[in-house]
């Protein structure tokens, strides 16, 4: 069977992948970042590969996949990603594979007063001569070039709309964009939302790329017209030849894409879809707006439990986009309601449904109507507030790891409201809390808002045997909240060492401090040893993603034992030479190098190629390693390089005397590239 590789990064790439999945056709989707992966739906037919590749990297990837004549590569990248498209073509030329360029429909109609530019530089220079606030919607990649060509005063009146990713926000920080001028949001953006942003920030100039219909260009253009904002358009870098998603689907499968809607601009008389939070499910907990939406709908979708008390012309017991969209395509109704339990903004499936619907068709109107969450309902019943509580969910994710994370939340909070997968979660939670010596009481609310509603207060012992039918939400009250340590450190005695080298306690603490770790960071520990640095860092916050790389098998086993003993779940051990492993890994935020096997320059160069703003901390004990570090400093010339030498001596009691026992002096070098 022929192999299919899609280079995505656009709505078209996601749509094509979804269609191939429906046909049970295996394929690989290549995306540049973890954020791109989050926008895709990985499944048994769609394998997602994350990471930016140049032409040489693509060639290596094709060789790994053993591509031959007859295989297919689809370029569905952004129309402005000129270099990526060029690299794909270079890489495919030597393999004899079929290359398909999928292009998005252009929207060539512009307002009479719209101004057009060949690139962001010429646009920025023109903006410099204007007055009034500016909304920059060209993304973070263009921000540096824009900033280089405008004055500080122009930058101060610029609002930038970027993806809510760590990389985007770091670029904003690097370009000194004030935090209240950053609009970090994920699209798609309706005309109404664009208008609201223009009015809220008093925007006089809207800057956009001509990104096509699926890229939201029409909605931005229309919003500028409706509000009187001046539209500045950066034209596509060149006119492309290519085919549509439908045509690509036909080439690959030999079938017509009868289940595919062409992407086109429609008027406001298209389909209206309401995503409705139904509360707990009882009709009395529905808001008036929700009742009106249901009453006026041709079709109502939802889980069977949610449809139980709903009166509608047509109802379907469905709640997944892959099931609902085919019905919408077949029946083409005017008004539709899709029901969700609780509130649409609280651990709800609304977000994924909204993304799927907007990816499916751009001419529909989708509105979200919030509901009453089971947390607010239970709090009201118990006479409790929840503005001072921790909110958590193990609904559909009640693994041992999730239960430990919940127990940690309970340990450091007075109150935790939690959504459950079912009544069986209550005994499991009680056991976890008991094992952690947490004194707590559980208030379990079963079938909230229904006639069979029952709220039960339980000790942990009583909770061990709790049973109930239906949906359960709980409040856990900690009777003796623990104080979270302000500086969380581990002692050398916390680790199994055996004969494997270990970064000693004082050195480890100082090195981790210099990493400047932040919530959600990706951290590499190269030359893991006993895993002490990786484990201590991982224990600081569960949102950290820690990868420790070690080539010695006995050390790898020791790291795994220490991870198990420490009870951290956010450390992954990678066995092998760092220089061989790092190429396929995602971009880190921070890197600690305790051992490089003489490949320090190669390792740092490889990591630096993944992007800028990466923090490095290197430990050196031998003169040879110190020389390697200094050579790296000379090569890259980081502006913030700091080096100190630490010499630590422990006091040991020998007979009746207390003697100093010195350790090897360690050089600690830190810098950002």
């Amino acid at each position: 069977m022929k192999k299919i590789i899609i280079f995505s990064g656009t709505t078209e790439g996601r749509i094509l992948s979804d269609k191939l999945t429906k046909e049970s056709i295996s394929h690989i989707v290549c995306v540049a970042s973890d954020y791109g992966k989050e926008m895709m739906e990985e499944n048994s037919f769609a394998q997602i590969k994350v990471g930016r590749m140049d032409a040489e990297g693509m060639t290596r990837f094709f060789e790994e996949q053993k591509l031959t004549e007859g295989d297919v590569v689809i370029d569905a990248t952004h129309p402005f990603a000129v270099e990526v498209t060029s690299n794909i073509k270079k890489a495919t030329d030597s393999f004899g594979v079929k290359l398909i360029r999928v292009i998005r429909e252009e929207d060539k109609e512009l307002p009479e007063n719209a101004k057009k530019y060949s690139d962001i530089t010429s646009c920025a220079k023109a903006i410099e001569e204007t007055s009034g606030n500016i909304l920059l919607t060209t993304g973070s990649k263009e921000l540096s070039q824009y900033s280089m060509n405008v004055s500080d005063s122009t930058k101060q009146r610029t609002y930038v709309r970027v993806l809510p990713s760590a990389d985007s926000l770091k670029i904003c920080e690097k370009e000194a964009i004030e935090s209240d001028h950053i609009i970090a949001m994920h699209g798609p953006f309706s005309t109404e939302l664009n208008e609201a942003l223009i009015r809220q920030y008093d925007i006089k100039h809207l800057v956009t790329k001509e990104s096509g219909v699926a890229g939201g260009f029409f909605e931005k253009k229309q919003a500028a017209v409706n509000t009187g904002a001046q539209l500045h358009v950066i034209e596509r870098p060149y006119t492309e030849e290519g085919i549509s998603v439908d045509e690509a689907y036909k080439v690959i499968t030999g079938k017509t894409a009868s289940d595919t809607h062409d992407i086109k601009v429609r008027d406001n008389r298209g389909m209206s879809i309401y995503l409705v939070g139904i509360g707990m499910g009882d009709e009395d907990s529905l808001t008036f707006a929700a009742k009106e939406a249901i009453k006026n709908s041709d079709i109502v979708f939802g889980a069977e439990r949610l449809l139980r008390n709903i009166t509608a012309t047509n109802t379907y017991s469905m709640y997944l986009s892959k099931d609902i969209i085919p019905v919408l395509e077949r029946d083409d109704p005017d008004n539709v309601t899709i029901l969700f339990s609780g509130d649409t903004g609280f651990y709800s499936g609304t977000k994924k449904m909204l993304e799927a619907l907007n990816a499916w068709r751009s001419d529909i109107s989708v509105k979200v109507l919030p509901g009453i969450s089971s947390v607010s309902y239970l709090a009201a019943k118990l006479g409790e507030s929840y503005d001072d509580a921790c909110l958590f969910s193990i609904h559909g994710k009640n693994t041992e790891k999730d239960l430990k994370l919940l127990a940690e939340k309970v340990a450091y909070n007075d109150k935790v409201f939690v959504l459950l997968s079912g009544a069986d979660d209550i005994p499991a939670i009680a056991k976890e809390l008991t094992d952690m010596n947490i004194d707590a009481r559980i208030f379990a609310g079963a079938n909230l808002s229904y006639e069979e509603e029952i709220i039960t207060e339980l000790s942990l012992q009583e909770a061990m045997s709790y049973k109930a039918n239906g949906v359960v939400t709980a409040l856990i009250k900690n009777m003796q909240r623990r104080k979270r340590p302000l500086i969380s450190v581990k002692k050398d005695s916390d680790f199994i060492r055996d004969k494997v080298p270990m970064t000693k306690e004082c050195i480890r603490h100082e090195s981790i401090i210099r990493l400047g770790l932040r919530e959600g960071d990706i951290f590499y520990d190269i030359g893991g040893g006993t895993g002490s640095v990786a484990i201590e860092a991982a224990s600081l916050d569960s949102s950290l993603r820690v990868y420790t790389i070690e080539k010695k098998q006995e050390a790898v086993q020791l790291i795994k034992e220490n991870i198990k003993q420490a009870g951290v779940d956010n450390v992954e051990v990678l066995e092998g030479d760092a220089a061989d492993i790092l190429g396929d890994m995602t971009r880190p935020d921070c890197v600690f190098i305790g051992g490089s096997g003489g490949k320090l320059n190669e390792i740092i160069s490889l990591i630096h190629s993944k992007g800028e703003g990466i923090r490095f901390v290197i430990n050196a004990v031998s003169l040879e390693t110190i020389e390697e570090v200094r050579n790296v400093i000379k090569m890259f010339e980081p502006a913030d390089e700091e080096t100190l030498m630490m010499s630590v001596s422990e006091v040991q009691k020998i007979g009746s005397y207390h003697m100093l026992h010195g350790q090897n002096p360690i050089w600690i070098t830190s810098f950002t590239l």
Side-chain angles (χ1 to χ4, degrees):
M1 185 176 180
K2 63 185 177 186
K3 294 180 179 177
I4 300 168
I5 298 175
I6 302 173
F7 285 87
S8 187
T10 59
T11 302
E12 290 81 4
R14 294 197 297 271
I15 292 173
L16 184 56
S17 175
D18 288 344
K19 292 188 175 300
L20 295 179
T21 295
K22 288 180 182 177
E23 292 293 325
S24 301
I25 297 174
S26 296
H27 58 285
I28 299 172
V29 183
C30 299
V31 295
S33 65
D34 287 328
Y35 192 86
K37 181 179 181 180
E38 290 174 9
M39 298 299 103
M40 300 296 302
E41 185 175 339
E42 190 164 21
N43 52 64
S44 56
F45 298 103
Q47 177 188 341
I48 312 298
K49 174 178 171 55
V50 181
R52 291 179 173 84
M53 294 183 279
D54 56 15
E56 186 178 341
M58 292 176 187
T59 300
R60 287 197 302 270
F61 176 58
F62 292 164
E63 288 172 348
E64 291 168 4
Q65 296 300 317
K66 297 182 172 55
L67 291 195
T68 59
E69 188 173 348
D71 293 333
V72 180
V73 174
I74 299 101
D75 176 9
T77 58
H78 197 279
F80 279 78
V82 179
E83 185 178 353
V84 178
T85 291
S86 174
N87 288 337
I88 294 171
K89 188 175 187 311
K90 286 178 187 176
T92 54
D93 281 347
S94 59
F95 284 85
V97 299
K98 188 176 190 64
L99 175 61
I100 299 172
R101 174 58 171 150
V102 173
I103 59 174
R104 57 175 48 170
E105 181 184 346
E106 295 185 59
D107 181 359
K108 297 182 178 179
E109 295 184 12
L110 292 176
E112 289 184 7
N113 67 337
K115 297 184 178 181
K116 297 188 290 185
Y117 309 90
S118 60
D119 54 33
I120 188 67
T121 299
S122 56
C123 178
K125 290 177 179 177
I127 285 289
E128 179 69 17
E129 304 302 319
T130 66
S131 60
N133 290 346
I134 303 147
L135 178 58
L136 193 68
T137 67
T138 53
S140 60
K141 290 183 181 178
E142 308 290 344
L143 185 54
S144 297
Q145 199 66 26
Y146 174 85
S147 298
M148 287 172 56
N149 289 279
V150 297
S151 62
D152 287 342
S153 59
T154 297
K155 196 187 295 187
Q156 287 170 6
R157 59 188 175 93
T158 300
Y159 292 80
V160 298
R161 190 166 76 191
V162 297
L163 291 172
S165 67
D167 288 347
S168 296
L169 296 176
K170 284 180 181 176
I171 292 173
C172 291
E173 182 181 357
K174 180 183 175 184
E175 298 303 329
I177 303 298
E178 296 179 14
S179 59
D180 59 351
H181 282 219
I182 300 171
I183 305 169
M185 301 175 67
H186 172 65
F189 301 96
S190 65
T191 301
E192 291 79 9
L193 180 53
N194 284 318
E195 287 182 25
L197 292 174
I198 290 171
R199 293 191 174 97
Q200 179 176 347
Y201 297 106
D202 192 24
I203 300 300
K204 303 302 181 186
H205 303 272
L206 192 154
V207 181
T208 177
K209 295 178 182 177
E210 197 294 279
S211 52
V213 175
F217 179 70
F218 171 79
E219 289 78 8
K220 286 186 277 190
K221 176 185 74 174
Q222 195 61 46
V225 170
N226 294 348
T227 59
Q230 174 67 58
L231 188 67
H232 301 262
V233 181
I234 300 169
E235 297 179 292
R236 292 193 184 187
Y238 61 94
T239 302
E240 288 190 287
E241 291 185 0
I243 61 178
S244 68
V245 171
D246 288 359
E247 291 166 328
Y249 175 87
K250 185 176 180 180
V251 169
I252 295 168
T253 65
K255 302 178 181 180
T256 58
S258 58
D259 64 335
T260 303
H261 280 262
D262 288 335
I263 301 171
K264 61 181 72 174
V265 179
R266 300 175 187 259
D267 59 28
N268 291 328
R269 294 174 295 173
M271 188 185 301
S272 293
I273 301 177
Y274 293 90
L275 308 184
V276 173
I278 199 173
M280 281 63 63
D282 180 71
E283 188 177 4
D284 291 340
S285 66
L286 276 171
T287 64
F288 178 78
K291 289 179 180 178
E292 286 295 298
I294 293 168
K295 183 176 74 173
N296 296 322
S297 287
D298 304 308
I299 300 177
V300 177
F301 296 93
E304 185 177 353
R305 176 179 67 85
L306 304 184
L307 294 171
R308 196 181 304 163
N309 298 318
I310 297 299
T311 302
T313 306
N314 292 303
T315 59
Y316 288 89
S317 180
M318 299 175 179
Y319 53 89
L320 299 176
S321 59
K322 67 181 182 66
D323 299 320
I324 291 174
I325 288 175
V327 177
L328 299 180
E329 290 175 333
R330 183 192 69 203
D331 296 352
D332 196 27
D334 291 326
N335 296 295
V336 179
T337 291
I338 304 174
L339 304 178
F340 297 89
S341 62
D343 177 40
T344 52
F346 184 64
Y347 294 104
S348 170
T350 304
K351 180 182 177 182
K352 285 189 176 180
M353 182 63 70
L354 189 61
E355 291 170 353
L357 291 173
N358 283 311
W360 168 54
R361 278 171 60 171
S362 62
D363 62 317
I364 57 176
S365 169
V366 184
K367 294 184 179 179
V368 179
L369 302 179
I372 300 171
S373 74
S374 57
V375 165
S376 62
Y377 183 94
L378 179 60
K381 281 284 188 176
L382 294 172
E384 291 279 357
S385 60
Y386 60 94
D387 57 353
D388 56 347
C390 173
L391 307 182
F392 199 72
S393 174
I394 56 171
H395 179 71
K397 50 177 185 176
N398 51 352
T399 64
E400 183 179 346
K401 178 181 177 180
D402 295 304
L403 289 169
K404 283 184 178 179
L405 186 56
L406 171 59
E408 182 183 338
K409 299 290 184 184
V410 173
Y412 296 112
N413 287 277
D414 292 317
K415 294 184 287 187
V416 176
F417 283 93
V418 57
L419 304 182
L420 308 176
S421 292
D424 290 344
D425 287 344
I426 295 289
I429 292 170
K431 183 180 184 307
E432 191 67 41
L433 296 178
T434 301
D435 290 345
M436 288 184 63
N437 295 316
I438 296 172
D439 182 15
R441 295 191 72 78
I442 299 177
F443 298 80
N447 302 303
L448 296 176
S449 82
Y450 290 95
E451 288 184 6
E452 58 269 34
E453 170 186 299
I454 181 168
I455 300 174
T456 311
E457 180 180 354
L458 304 159
S459 67
L460 294 185
Q461 187 62 40
E462 292 168 335
M464 295 283 194
S465 56
Y466 177 80
K467 293 182 180 179
N469 295 318
V471 179
V472 180
T473 301
L475 164 63
I476 306 172
K477 297 189 74 171
N478 187 348
M479 310 313 292
Q480 193 170 1
R481 179 175 65 87
R482 297 174 185 173
K483 291 184 178 181
R484 190 182 296 276
L486 295 180
I487 302 177
S488 181
V489 296
K490 289 187 174 294
K491 301 181 72 64
D492 287 348
S493 57
D494 293 334
F495 298 98
I496 306 166
R497 181 178 177 184
D498 202 8
K499 298 179 181 179
V500 175
M502 179 173 72
T503 302
K504 293 297 182 65
E505 191 173 319
C506 294
I507 307 299
R508 184 170 66 246
H509 301 337
E510 183 64 32
S511 298
I512 290 175
I513 288 170
R514 290 175 177 270
L515 284 167
L517 289 163
R518 297 172 296 183
E519 283 183 318
D521 272 355
I522 296 173
F523 170 44
Y524 294 176
D525 168 31
I526 298 174
T530 61
S532 63
V533 172
I535 292 168
E536 181 163 325
S539 68
L540 296 175
D541 195 279
S542 59
S543 69
L544 293 171
R545 290 165 57 192
V546 181
Y547 299 91
T548 181
I549 302 172
E550 175 55 59
K551 63 182 179 181
K552 295 179 180 177
Q553 189 174 15
E554 64 272 20
V556 168
Q557 291 304 120
L558 192 62
I559 294 171
K560 290 179 179 179
E561 289 179 35
N562 277 320
I563 289 173
K564 185 177 181 181
Q565 178 173 284
V568 291
D569 299 306
N570 52 335
V571 182
E572 183 175 344
V573 187
L574 303 175
E575 182 177 355
D577 193 292
D580 298 330
I581 293 174
L582 289 169
D584 293 329
M585 294 178 66
T586 190
R587 175 194 176 280
D589 298 288
C590 303
V591 179
F592 172 78
I593 303 178
S596 62
K599 298 181 179 180
L600 185 63
N601 194 322
E602 181 181 352
I603 289 170
I604 290 180
S605 297
L606 185 55
I607 296 172
H608 181 51
S609 69
K610 296 176 182 291
E612 297 182 349
I614 300 172
R615 182 72 173 163
F616 291 84
V617 173
I618 306 171
N619 282 184
V621 64
S622 69
L623 294 176
E624 288 76 13
T625 305
I626 293 168
E627 184 179 4
E628 278 190 280
V629 174
R630 299 320 300 170
N631 288 336
V632 166
I633 297 300
K634 289 178 184 177
M635 174 180 294
F636 291 99
E637 298 183 338
D640 61 345
E641 180 255 328
E642 291 183 344
T643 299
L644 74 142
M645 188 273 286
M646 286 187 68
S647 180
V648 179
S649 295
E650 295 178 311
V651 176
Q652 295 183 352
K653 187 175 181 181
I654 302 176
S656 60
Y657 293 93
H658 289 77
M659 308 292 291
L660 289 177
H661 179 72
Q663 299 176 5
N664 287 328
I666 305 291
W667 293 70
I668 303 176
T669 300
S670 58
F671 53 85
T672 307
L673 295 180

